[in-house]
Amino acid sequence: MSTRVKKTPLFKKSLHDLIRGIRSCKDEEATDKYIRSAISECRQEVLSQDMDVKTMGVLKLAYLQMFGHDMTWASFNVLEVMSSSKFAQKRIGYLAAMQSFGADTDVLMLATNMLKKDLASSNHLDVAMAISGLSNIVSPSLARDLAEDLLKMMNHSKPYVRKKAVLVMYKIFLQFPEALRTSFPRLREKLEDPEISVVSATVNVICELAKKHPKNYLPLAPQLFNILTTSSNNWMLIKIIKLFASLAPIEPRLKTKLIPPITNIIQTTTAMSLLYECINCIVSGGMLSKEDEQLATMCVGKLRIFFEETDQNLKFVGLLAYNKIVLTHPLLVAQNADVIMDCMDDPDLSIRERAVELVVYLVNTDTLFEVVKRLMLQLIPQSRDQVLPEHYRVEVVRRILDMCSNNTYANVTNFEWYVAVLVDLVKITEGVKDIGAEIGVELQNVAVRVRSVRDYAVGASARMVTDKDVMIKNPEVLKYAGWIAGEYAIYLDNPEIILDAMIKIEPQTLSDDTEAVYIQAIPKIYSQYAGTDRIPWTHSRAQEILQLTENIVAYLEKYSTSMDIEVQERSVEFLELLRLIALAIKERPDDDSDLTPPALISQAMPSMFNLWELNPVSAKAQKRIPVPEGLDLDEEFNAPVVYSESEDEEEALLREQIIKQQQLNSGKNINSAAASTTVKAKSNKSKSTRDGASSESEDEEDMERRRQERRRRQAEDPFYILESDKFASKSRKQRQDSSSSELSGPDDPMKNEKLDIDSIPIMKLEIASIAAPVTKKKSKRHRTQPAHIEIATEETFGDENAATSVQPDEVAQRRSSARAASHKKSILRVDARGLENYDLDSPDEDEADRQEVEKFKAEILEARKKAAKAAEEEVRATHIVVKKKKKKAKVVKKVKTKEGKNDAPAEMPAEEEKTDEKTEAKAEENVEGQQT
């Protein structure tokens, strides 16, 4: 009876079973449970010794990794599958590595030898797979170790491998920029490769490298130009044209060579992508100047075709090209204003944004009203469900401000209309951050510069100050509206209403900057309202002003303890002034016998605000003011004051002496004071006796030093009234006498001293003749627009022609830079910072290091030669001594021969000479060996 052997499956589930199981789950909880079970099975499978089971486990983990499940714990198992000899398993291992390996993966250091082995494989498929995997997992160490191997692969016999090797070199350059120097000649050779795919890959790599440092690739211009004129591959032509757009600004002579072939492509090609790149190369490469009218006309005419197509992408790139051409040829672009205005109503938000950027350059005095109207309609949602992005609303408002303020309001002919537009923008942009301040600055600028519309601007500002909705939804503009209402309070129709609205605002409702402006504006409006001569001063008028003054005092008292120093300082200053005004009003008789207001209201306060008119000042005026001779701006006015505990004790002792002196003068507590003083003096005297004479002299010197420092600080303090020399000396004498009188008795030392009253310093306060307050001239509401509107220019210092007004082009530039900074970095952008400053012409750091090492080796070799030479001379000197000795021996033997013996000994010197020659040759060999 035969027994059946049950065959165990290699793995429980294949990838097909895993996918089918996930799809069969009915809810999210069941799916999570199934995936956890599958991951648990994969943990067992990747530990199997069977490579098929291990490979299937890695494949399923790679699939689950796309759902967001971590598989970094299986990195070593993935490396094992990558090292398999079977192509199907190796491919799965590389796929999992490309998905899960990162720069911080530990097992990458183990993959170097495996990648070298695969790159040296005889199977071109293994080589290509290794190159593809390396492009995704390359790290600085892998790039450094495998650069030479990949350089060899660029000369592989298979074009498929050469193309991949050229492309992966870009990833190598990003991680190891030094490889660019050694690979550049080989990269240049690939531009002449017989296979068009290899040439296209090379052009692609050079184009990407030239974005960071185009100067390195100027020597390739002849070969690239040859490809441009001979190739018919549109994709490669696009890359070459992009590359020339980067090279043309560096080498202006390229313009004369590139214009004919690029113009020919523009006129003959039907590919829209190639057409756009040719136009973009002319514009971005600096080939389109203001004199090239014919070339610009051709480009603008070809771009109009983009707006006739239904493809939205073509409209977008067409607007991008128009935005570049309009800088040099605005009139040509303005001829296509109809298609640009149509793009402002496009449902695609990105197209509308590009159209809004472009429309700024197309306005004039005739089209400004219509363009602003259409832009303001962009801020209003067309339906309740439509929600406009905040950045788009901010961009539209900024473009409106740029158009109207361009060239100091050159296109605005009706400033009442412009002020109304600003007020409408405040209401439309409710809840948009950071835009209320820009609208407020523009409203303030119009009120200061254009006197003819100042009364209208003040009225609009007053309405915003009293509008509670503005305070809640757009409070940033109130800072500038309050400033206008205070600075030009003469134009207010109902200043008491404005004051009532301002003083009812509770602390912390507005920002600190706005509160500081309100505190400064309230006294200005109060001065205009209380000091006007149009309303007679009566008892009822006095009571009304008194009540208003007390309300303002109560308002300022809330801010007198503010944490913001500007708010606190302004509130305290005006608080004291208004208290004096309230006191002056109360001291007036209750009847109508005195019909004149207090001088503080009618003269003092108006003189603080109405003597000079505030004019716009150039931002560069301060820089033109020369520094006076002898003024050191880096020198400190007052040295930092350092207080010590001993100095505080001295101040307390001085205050105690002053109090006791006052008690002595008034005749109170004389005996007790004298007794306590005597006791203190005796105790101090006994203590000083114990300390010794040396410590007493040191204390006196220390006291005198601190006294001198106090006098110096008082002299440098602008709020301290200094004493005259005569009075100061008498005061010091009186203090000394008073301190000594405490020991002697209750006699007043001031009785016998005559005080010189004339020596007391008196500050003379002069109030200049105050002009009568200017009364407001009632203007007609329906006044006709003057033919010429006077716009105040900015005051400057020095050359009058150097006055620079606020150019909205600069403002627009600053705003565009702020917008560019606010854009988020794309996740698809490659980090190529290592190639930005890498110059092929500069000496290589490694080469410099090698040269330094070679120089050091040469110095060592030279020292060794000198040492060997000295040793050789020493050996030769020794050899000469040996020779002399042997010659003496030879003479003796010759004497023996004369005695009748054979001639054999006569041959001995020859043998000895041979031995000496061998010894000398051996010494020379040793010297050469030392040199080597």
Tab-separated table of all heavy atoms in Angstrom, residues 431-468:
chain	number	residue	atom	x	y	z
A	431	GLY	N	-11.682	90.004	6.444
A	431	GLY	CA	-11.143	88.735	6.886
A	431	GLY	C	-9.852	88.317	6.228
A	431	GLY	O	-9.282	87.301	6.600
A	432	VAL	N	-9.356	89.085	5.239
A	432	VAL	CA	-8.095	88.772	4.574
A	432	VAL	C	-6.958	89.421	5.352
A	432	VAL	O	-6.983	90.616	5.623
A	432	VAL	CB	-8.098	89.274	3.111
A	432	VAL	CG1	-6.771	88.938	2.448
A	432	VAL	CG2	-9.259	88.652	2.351
A	433	LYS	N	-5.961	88.640	5.718
A	433	LYS	CA	-4.871	89.139	6.549
A	433	LYS	C	-3.893	89.956	5.714
A	433	LYS	O	-3.685	89.695	4.530
A	433	LYS	CB	-4.140	87.969	7.219
A	433	LYS	CG	-5.003	87.171	8.187
A	433	LYS	CD	-4.191	86.048	8.806
A	433	LYS	CE	-5.058	85.234	9.782
A	433	LYS	NZ	-4.285	84.116	10.377
A	434	ASP	N	-3.301	90.958	6.372
A	434	ASP	CA	-2.167	91.728	5.849
A	434	ASP	C	-2.509	92.607	4.646
A	434	ASP	O	-1.608	93.239	4.089
A	434	ASP	CB	-1.002	90.801	5.447
A	434	ASP	CG	-0.518	89.968	6.612
A	434	ASP	OD1	-0.630	90.444	7.758
A	434	ASP	OD2	-0.059	88.848	6.366
A	435	ILE	N	-3.750	92.653	4.226
A	435	ILE	CA	-4.078	93.497	3.084
A	435	ILE	C	-4.671	94.824	3.521
A	435	ILE	O	-4.581	95.828	2.807
A	435	ILE	CB	-5.051	92.762	2.120
A	435	ILE	CG1	-5.036	93.415	0.741
A	435	ILE	CG2	-6.449	92.743	2.700
A	435	ILE	CD1	-3.703	93.377	0.065
A	436	GLY	N	-5.272	94.865	4.729
A	436	GLY	CA	-5.840	96.117	5.217
A	436	GLY	C	-4.774	97.180	5.419
A	436	GLY	O	-5.009	98.374	5.164
A	437	ALA	N	-3.588	96.778	5.854
A	437	ALA	CA	-2.505	97.741	6.053
A	437	ALA	C	-2.061	98.344	4.725
A	437	ALA	O	-1.786	99.552	4.636
A	437	ALA	CB	-1.326	97.064	6.748
A	438	GLU	N	-1.992	97.556	3.664
A	438	GLU	CA	-1.574	98.076	2.361
A	438	GLU	C	-2.620	99.045	1.804
A	438	GLU	O	-2.269	100.079	1.210
A	438	GLU	CB	-1.346	96.921	1.398
A	438	GLU	CG	-0.210	95.998	1.828
A	438	GLU	CD	0.068	94.920	0.806
A	438	GLU	OE1	-0.276	95.134	-0.375
A	438	GLU	OE2	0.627	93.868	1.165
A	439	ILE	N	-3.895	98.740	1.999
A	439	ILE	CA	-4.938	99.677	1.557
A	439	ILE	C	-4.865	100.964	2.369
A	439	ILE	O	-5.011	102.071	1.836
A	439	ILE	CB	-6.325	99.018	1.674
A	439	ILE	CG1	-6.401	97.764	0.799
A	439	ILE	CG2	-7.416	99.991	1.285
A	439	ILE	CD1	-7.676	96.977	0.980
A	440	GLY	N	-4.623	100.837	3.682
A	440	GLY	CA	-4.511	102.023	4.528
A	440	GLY	C	-3.338	102.903	4.141
A	440	GLY	O	-3.447	104.141	4.141
A	441	VAL	N	-2.211	102.304	3.811
A	441	VAL	CA	-1.044	103.087	3.375
A	441	VAL	C	-1.363	103.861	2.100
A	441	VAL	O	-0.986	105.033	1.943
A	441	VAL	CB	0.160	102.155	3.167
A	441	VAL	CG1	1.296	102.883	2.465
A	441	VAL	CG2	0.641	101.613	4.497
A	442	GLU	N	-2.074	103.226	1.180
A	442	GLU	CA	-2.427	103.910	-0.071
A	442	GLU	C	-3.406	105.048	0.184
A	442	GLU	O	-3.290	106.132	-0.409
A	442	GLU	CB	-3.019	102.882	-1.044
A	442	GLU	CG	-3.117	103.365	-2.467
A	442	GLU	CD	-1.761	103.687	-3.063
A	442	GLU	OE1	-0.749	103.083	-2.650
A	442	GLU	OE2	-1.718	104.571	-3.933
A	443	LEU	N	-4.374	104.844	1.062
A	443	LEU	CA	-5.312	105.911	1.411
A	443	LEU	C	-4.574	107.065	2.082
A	443	LEU	O	-4.848	108.251	1.808
A	443	LEU	CB	-6.396	105.348	2.328
A	443	LEU	CG	-7.507	106.320	2.763
A	443	LEU	CD1	-8.276	106.826	1.553
A	443	LEU	CD2	-8.450	105.652	3.746
A	444	GLN	N	-3.661	106.774	2.957
A	444	GLN	CA	-2.865	107.813	3.606
A	444	GLN	C	-2.005	108.570	2.594
A	444	GLN	O	-1.879	109.798	2.655
A	444	GLN	CB	-1.975	107.161	4.670
A	444	GLN	CG	-1.151	108.138	5.482
A	444	GLN	CD	-0.208	107.406	6.429
A	444	GLN	OE1	0.444	106.442	6.029
A	444	GLN	NE2	-0.139	107.861	7.655
A	445	ASN	N	-1.440	107.857	1.643
A	445	ASN	CA	-0.603	108.486	0.625
A	445	ASN	C	-1.406	109.452	-0.236
A	445	ASN	O	-0.945	110.552	-0.571
A	445	ASN	CB	0.029	107.396	-0.240
A	445	ASN	CG	1.272	107.890	-0.955
A	445	ASN	OD1	1.861	108.894	-0.579
A	445	ASN	ND2	1.669	107.183	-1.988
A	446	VAL	N	-2.617	109.062	-0.589
A	446	VAL	CA	-3.478	109.946	-1.390
A	446	VAL	C	-3.867	111.182	-0.586
A	446	VAL	O	-3.863	112.313	-1.102
A	446	VAL	CB	-4.728	109.177	-1.865
A	446	VAL	CG1	-5.730	110.118	-2.520
A	446	VAL	CG2	-4.330	108.078	-2.833
A	447	ALA	N	-4.225	111.014	0.683
A	447	ALA	CA	-4.629	112.151	1.509
A	447	ALA	C	-3.490	113.142	1.695
A	447	ALA	O	-3.716	114.363	1.743
A	447	ALA	CB	-5.116	111.647	2.873
A	448	VAL	N	-2.263	112.677	1.782
A	448	VAL	CA	-1.127	113.579	1.991
A	448	VAL	C	-0.727	114.266	0.699
A	448	VAL	O	-0.431	115.465	0.674
A	448	VAL	CB	0.060	112.787	2.581
A	448	VAL	CG1	1.307	113.656	2.645
A	448	VAL	CG2	-0.290	112.292	3.967
A	449	ARG	N	-0.751	113.559	-0.406
A	449	ARG	CA	-0.231	114.104	-1.656
A	449	ARG	C	-1.240	114.957	-2.408
A	449	ARG	O	-0.868	115.988	-2.979
A	449	ARG	CB	0.229	112.956	-2.569
A	449	ARG	CG	1.464	112.242	-2.089
A	449	ARG	CD	1.776	111.049	-2.985
A	449	ARG	NE	3.000	110.384	-2.579
A	449	ARG	CZ	4.225	110.715	-2.976
A	449	ARG	NH1	4.377	111.744	-3.798
A	449	ARG	NH2	5.283	110.059	-2.559
A	450	VAL	N	-2.488	114.540	-2.455
A	450	VAL	CA	-3.483	115.213	-3.293
A	450	VAL	C	-4.359	116.078	-2.389
A	450	VAL	O	-5.268	115.589	-1.717
A	450	VAL	CB	-4.335	114.178	-4.068
A	450	VAL	CG1	-5.226	114.890	-5.070
A	450	VAL	CG2	-3.437	113.166	-4.773
A	451	ARG	N	-4.089	117.385	-2.368
A	451	ARG	CA	-4.822	118.292	-1.484
A	451	ARG	C	-6.272	118.472	-1.931
A	451	ARG	O	-7.157	118.705	-1.110
A	451	ARG	CB	-4.111	119.646	-1.447
A	451	ARG	CG	-2.746	119.605	-0.780
A	451	ARG	CD	-2.090	120.987	-0.769
A	451	ARG	NE	-0.820	120.980	-0.061
A	451	ARG	CZ	0.346	120.668	-0.618
A	451	ARG	NH1	0.378	120.339	-1.908
A	451	ARG	NH2	1.453	120.683	0.093
A	452	SER	N	-6.495	118.370	-3.215
A	452	SER	CA	-7.849	118.627	-3.714
A	452	SER	C	-8.838	117.551	-3.287
A	452	SER	O	-10.048	117.800	-3.263
A	452	SER	CB	-7.822	118.716	-5.244
A	452	SER	OG	-7.331	117.505	-5.808
A	453	VAL	N	-8.365	116.369	-2.935
A	453	VAL	CA	-9.258	115.288	-2.538
A	453	VAL	C	-9.137	114.994	-1.047
A	453	VAL	O	-9.702	114.014	-0.552
A	453	VAL	CB	-8.939	114.021	-3.373
A	453	VAL	CG1	-7.707	113.316	-2.840
A	453	VAL	CG2	-10.118	113.069	-3.452
A	454	ARG	N	-8.449	115.864	-0.325
A	454	ARG	CA	-8.176	115.590	1.084
A	454	ARG	C	-9.453	115.566	1.913
A	454	ARG	O	-9.614	114.724	2.796
A	454	ARG	CB	-7.201	116.646	1.609
A	454	ARG	CG	-6.646	116.343	2.980
A	454	ARG	CD	-5.516	117.301	3.288
A	454	ARG	NE	-4.330	117.015	2.492
A	454	ARG	CZ	-3.270	117.820	2.410
A	454	ARG	NH1	-3.276	118.981	3.071
A	454	ARG	NH2	-2.237	117.488	1.683
A	455	ASP	N	-10.369	116.484	1.639
A	455	ASP	CA	-11.609	116.501	2.429
A	455	ASP	C	-12.425	115.242	2.199
A	455	ASP	O	-13.031	114.690	3.126
A	455	ASP	CB	-12.423	117.752	2.091
A	455	ASP	CG	-12.754	117.827	0.615
A	455	ASP	OD1	-12.086	117.123	-0.181
A	455	ASP	OD2	-13.680	118.580	0.241
A	456	TYR	N	-12.437	114.739	0.971
A	456	TYR	CA	-13.162	113.503	0.673
A	456	TYR	C	-12.498	112.304	1.355
A	456	TYR	O	-13.180	111.416	1.883
A	456	TYR	CB	-13.213	113.295	-0.835
A	456	TYR	CG	-14.141	112.189	-1.270
A	456	TYR	CD1	-15.509	112.386	-1.371
A	456	TYR	CD2	-13.641	110.924	-1.566
A	456	TYR	CE1	-16.363	111.370	-1.759
A	456	TYR	CE2	-14.473	109.888	-1.959
A	456	TYR	CZ	-15.840	110.128	-2.045
A	456	TYR	OH	-16.675	109.102	-2.421
A	457	ALA	N	-11.170	112.279	1.363
A	457	ALA	CA	-10.452	111.183	2.023
A	457	ALA	C	-10.672	111.221	3.532
A	457	ALA	O	-10.802	110.168	4.179
A	457	ALA	CB	-8.962	111.259	1.699
A	458	VAL	N	-10.729	112.427	4.116
A	458	VAL	CA	-10.971	112.533	5.561
A	458	VAL	C	-12.375	112.033	5.897
A	458	VAL	O	-12.592	111.335	6.893
A	458	VAL	CB	-10.759	113.986	6.022
A	458	VAL	CG1	-11.217	114.157	7.463
A	458	VAL	CG2	-9.300	114.373	5.888
A	459	GLY	N	-13.345	112.388	5.065
A	459	GLY	CA	-14.699	111.899	5.305
A	459	GLY	C	-14.798	110.386	5.228
A	459	GLY	O	-15.458	109.744	6.049
A	460	ALA	N	-14.101	109.785	4.234
A	460	ALA	CA	-14.108	108.326	4.120
A	460	ALA	C	-13.421	107.679	5.324
A	460	ALA	O	-13.874	106.646	5.843
A	460	ALA	CB	-13.417	107.909	2.828
A	461	SER	N	-12.326	108.283	5.797
A	461	SER	CA	-11.624	107.749	6.966
A	461	SER	C	-12.483	107.845	8.214
A	461	SER	O	-12.502	106.936	9.053
A	461	SER	CB	-10.310	108.491	7.170
A	461	SER	OG	-9.483	108.388	6.027
A	462	ALA	N	-13.217	108.966	8.352
A	462	ALA	CA	-14.081	109.124	9.520
A	462	ALA	C	-15.182	108.072	9.540
A	462	ALA	O	-15.540	107.540	10.603
A	462	ALA	CB	-14.679	110.526	9.527
A	463	ARG	N	-15.717	107.736	8.379
A	463	ARG	CA	-16.761	106.712	8.334
A	463	ARG	C	-16.206	105.336	8.708
A	463	ARG	O	-16.898	104.537	9.349
A	463	ARG	CB	-17.385	106.669	6.928
A	463	ARG	CG	-18.261	107.877	6.618
A	463	ARG	CD	-19.066	107.673	5.345
A	463	ARG	NE	-18.199	107.641	4.171
A	463	ARG	CZ	-17.818	108.703	3.485
A	463	ARG	NH1	-18.223	109.924	3.869
A	463	ARG	NH2	-17.051	108.599	2.425
A	464	MET	N	-14.967	105.069	8.324
A	464	MET	CA	-14.368	103.785	8.706
A	464	MET	C	-14.084	103.727	10.207
A	464	MET	O	-14.201	102.668	10.828
A	464	MET	CB	-13.073	103.565	7.911
A	464	MET	CG	-13.315	103.150	6.468
A	464	MET	SD	-11.812	102.598	5.618
A	464	MET	CE	-10.991	104.156	5.365
A	465	VAL	N	-13.701	104.856	10.811
A	465	VAL	CA	-13.425	104.874	12.247
A	465	VAL	C	-14.682	104.583	13.053
A	465	VAL	O	-14.640	103.899	14.078
A	465	VAL	CB	-12.798	106.224	12.642
A	465	VAL	CG1	-12.734	106.371	14.152
A	465	VAL	CG2	-11.403	106.356	12.046
A	466	THR	N	-15.819	105.069	12.591
A	466	THR	CA	-17.076	104.873	13.322
A	466	THR	C	-17.805	103.602	12.929
A	466	THR	O	-18.855	103.304	13.507
A	466	THR	CB	-17.993	106.083	13.074
A	466	THR	OG1	-18.200	106.245	11.655
A	466	THR	CG2	-17.372	107.354	13.631
A	467	ASP	N	-17.264	102.861	11.949
A	467	ASP	CA	-17.917	101.634	11.485
A	467	ASP	C	-17.450	100.454	12.331
A	467	ASP	O	-16.255	100.106	12.333
A	467	ASP	CB	-17.602	101.390	10.005
A	467	ASP	CG	-18.486	100.307	9.395
A	467	ASP	OD1	-19.159	99.586	10.169
A	467	ASP	OD2	-18.503	100.182	8.158
A	468	LYS	N	-18.344	99.822	13.048
A	468	LYS	CA	-17.986	98.697	13.908
A	468	LYS	C	-17.619	97.453	13.101
A	468	LYS	O	-16.815	96.634	13.550
A	468	LYS	CB	-19.138	98.375	14.862
A	468	LYS	CG	-19.416	99.489	15.862
A	468	LYS	CD	-20.520	99.091	16.818
A	468	LYS	CE	-20.785	100.199	17.841
A	468	LYS	NZ	-21.862	99.835	18.792
